[in-house]
Amino acid sequence: MEDSAEPSLSVGLGFARAQQQLKAIHGSSLATSSDEYQKQVHGVVKQLRQCLEQIRQLALFSSNETPDDYSTGELKLVLTTAYLGEALQKISSMDGRTAILEEAKAHYKQFLSTCRDLGIANQPEQPAEGTAASQNPGHSRMQKIERFKQQRAMQQEIDEIEARLARDSADDEDMEEVEREYAVKLIELKVHQVQDDLSLLDSELDMARQMDEMRKSAVQQQDSRAPSTEWRLDSHSYAQINPQTGRAARPTFNDRGQPMQPFVLTNKRQQIKDNVFRPGWALPTMSVDEYLEQERERGNIISGGGKEPDPKPEIDDNDYEALDAEVMKQREWDDFTDNNPRGAGNRGGNRS
């Protein structure tokens, strides 16, 4: 342990710096998806990975040792994997999300395993799956409430110790004991928090894996389809057949957009506009006179016939005989219509 005292000093400084940065991220008012927030998160992840690599090179922790074998500064380094898993969860990038969550879960598991081997903190027991306790919503809710109360009480104790460390002098003889108690309390609280985060992490991992499967299936379906020419400028050329070869005509452009044969640009803007902005019903294409003239040219209108009859001559007002004859003719017609009502000659039409 004494051989690693000097190298562990740099590890401790890096861990302290990462711990302060992570604390600042917790109190940040920035949006979690903002570039500045993500930049800070990636900085913490990089710093914690460097600390974890140095710890592994030093082989600092062993299951054959107890917490009494470590100094207070070395004991704090147990939190490196827990802090790294927490920082990884704050990365909002969807690219490689499954790998990020799996790495965070692995660090959480390593943290709990280290605490279990060293006997630093008692880990809360989780009910086995399929048991009555795990399937009872009321029991699960009561457990969550109890864990929340415990974490809140532990956080209050940590706040009190932090205030005492900031208030008391560095020469105080009891400061070493207070700092060690502070480190142990941090680890105990983190054990409870990691237990809660693991359950949420498993749910998020399932969703991320389902999203990956959906993306893979979508890519496979897209790859299996033939390349579409619908949106190409020369899409019409793919439907044309060369009469000499009997094959499809060569496209106007290649895949890089370079012309492969001469072509003529035509402006169909007005035609497309007219087809869009028009009434929903059929509009007349010619006038009535034009239609009749067209029908006359086709021979569908019969013309000709006999001589038109001369118009009926008007009766002179002084010709009383002609006037009387016309009156008598009208009276005879009125009598006939009275005696022969309209429709009277129809067979069976007016039977009573």
Side-chain angles (χ1 to χ4, degrees):
M1 296 300 298
E2 294 179 357
D3 297 340
S4 62
E6 184 64 23
S8 64
L9 181 62
S10 60
V11 177
L13 291 176
F15 173 79
R17 186 180 298 110
Q19 190 178 29
Q20 292 298 325
Q21 292 174 352
L22 188 60
K23 188 175 181 180
I25 290 176
H26 288 161
S28 176
S29 60
L30 297 174
T32 57
S33 59
S34 64
D35 296 339
E36 182 62 26
Y37 184 88
Q38 291 299 313
K39 182 179 179 180
Q40 296 177 8
V41 171
H42 282 84
V44 173
V45 170
K46 182 179 179 181
Q47 183 67 44
L48 289 172
R49 280 176 174 168
Q50 292 177 355
C51 294
L52 184 60
E53 183 63 26
Q54 292 176 351
I55 292 173
R56 289 173 177 173
Q57 292 177 358
L58 296 171
L60 192 59
F61 300 109
S62 174
S63 59
N64 298 326
E65 297 177 347
T66 63
D68 296 336
D69 297 328
Y70 297 96
S71 65
T72 303
E74 292 172 340
L75 198 60
K76 291 182 180 179
L77 297 178
V78 177
L79 293 166
T80 303
T81 50
Y83 286 160
L84 182 54
E86 180 182 356
L88 286 171
Q89 280 190 282
K90 295 183 180 297
I91 298 177
S92 62
S93 175
M94 297 305 297
D95 296 336
R97 182 65 178 172
T98 303
I100 294 174
L101 295 177
E102 288 177 349
E103 183 182 357
K105 183 177 180 180
H107 289 308
Y108 279 157
K109 292 288 187 180
Q110 183 180 358
F111 167 71
L112 295 178
S113 177
T114 303
C115 293
R116 188 183 305 108
D117 293 340
L118 298 179
I120 298 177
N122 296 325
Q123 301 179 18
E125 296 182 357
Q126 298 291 336
E129 295 183 359
T131 60
S134 62
Q135 297 178 355
N136 188 353
H139 182 74
S140 300
R141 181 173 178 273
M142 293 302 297
Q143 281 188 335
K144 290 181 180 180
I145 294 175
E146 186 64 25
R147 287 199 302 269
F148 174 77
K149 291 180 179 179
Q150 291 178 1
Q151 293 179 19
R152 186 173 58 180
M154 295 169 68
Q155 185 63 50
Q156 290 178 355
E157 293 179 4
I158 292 174
D159 293 340
E160 293 176 358
I161 297 175
E162 286 181 349
R164 181 179 176 184
L165 289 173
R167 181 180 65 253
D168 294 346
S169 173
D171 297 333
D172 192 348
E173 297 179 355
D174 297 334
M175 287 299 295
E176 178 63 26
E177 294 296 331
V178 175
E179 289 181 358
R180 192 169 187 83
E181 181 184 2
Y182 175 70
V184 173
K185 291 294 183 181
L186 280 178
I187 296 174
E188 291 178 350
L189 176 61
K190 202 61 185 175
V191 167
H192 286 76
Q193 292 176 347
V194 167
Q195 288 284 355
D196 293 340
D197 290 344
L198 275 175
S199 59
L200 299 177
L201 189 59
D202 289 336
S203 301
E204 189 176 357
L205 257 176
D206 293 339
M207 296 177 60
R209 288 167 181 160
Q210 292 177 6
M211 292 297 295
D212 290 343
E213 292 296 331
M214 293 173 61
R215 292 192 189 97
K216 290 180 181 178
S217 61
V219 171
Q220 291 176 357
Q221 292 178 1
Q222 185 176 3
D223 294 342
S224 62
R225 299 173 183 172
S228 176
T229 60
E230 181 180 358
W231 301 108
R232 291 180 63 103
L233 295 175
D234 58 343
S235 58
H236 64 282
S237 64
Y238 286 84
Q240 297 177 357
I241 302 299
N242 191 334
Q244 297 179 356
T245 61
R247 299 178 180 177
R250 185 176 61 175
T252 307
F253 302 95
N254 59 15
D255 295 337
R256 292 176 293 178
Q258 299 174 347
M260 301 178 62
Q261 59 184 353
F263 61 93
V264 179
L265 293 177
T266 57
N267 186 9
K268 295 185 178 180
R269 183 184 183 90
Q270 188 62 34
Q271 180 182 355
I272 296 174
K273 182 179 178 181
D274 294 341
N275 291 335
V276 175
F277 300 100
R278 66 176 183 179
W281 58 87
L283 298 177
T285 58
M286 63 182 68
S287 64
V288 176
D289 295 337
E290 291 175 348
Y291 171 73
L292 294 176
E293 183 63 27
Q294 190 179 68
E295 291 296 317
R296 185 178 290 105
E297 292 176 356
R298 294 177 180 175
N300 295 332
I301 297 179
I302 301 176
S303 61
K307 182 180 179 181
E308 294 183 1
D310 296 333
K312 184 178 180 180
E314 297 181 0
I315 301 175
D316 188 5
D317 294 340
N318 296 326
D319 189 355
Y320 296 106
E321 294 181 0
L323 292 174
D324 293 341
E326 183 65 22
V327 171
M328 291 301 296
K329 185 178 179 179
Q330 293 292 335
R331 288 179 179 178
E332 290 175 357
W333 177 250
D334 293 339
D335 294 340
F336 176 80
T337 55
D338 292 340
N339 297 329
N340 300 280
R342 186 175 182 178
N346 296 336
R347 293 185 177 182
N350 294 322
R351 293 178 181 177
S352 57

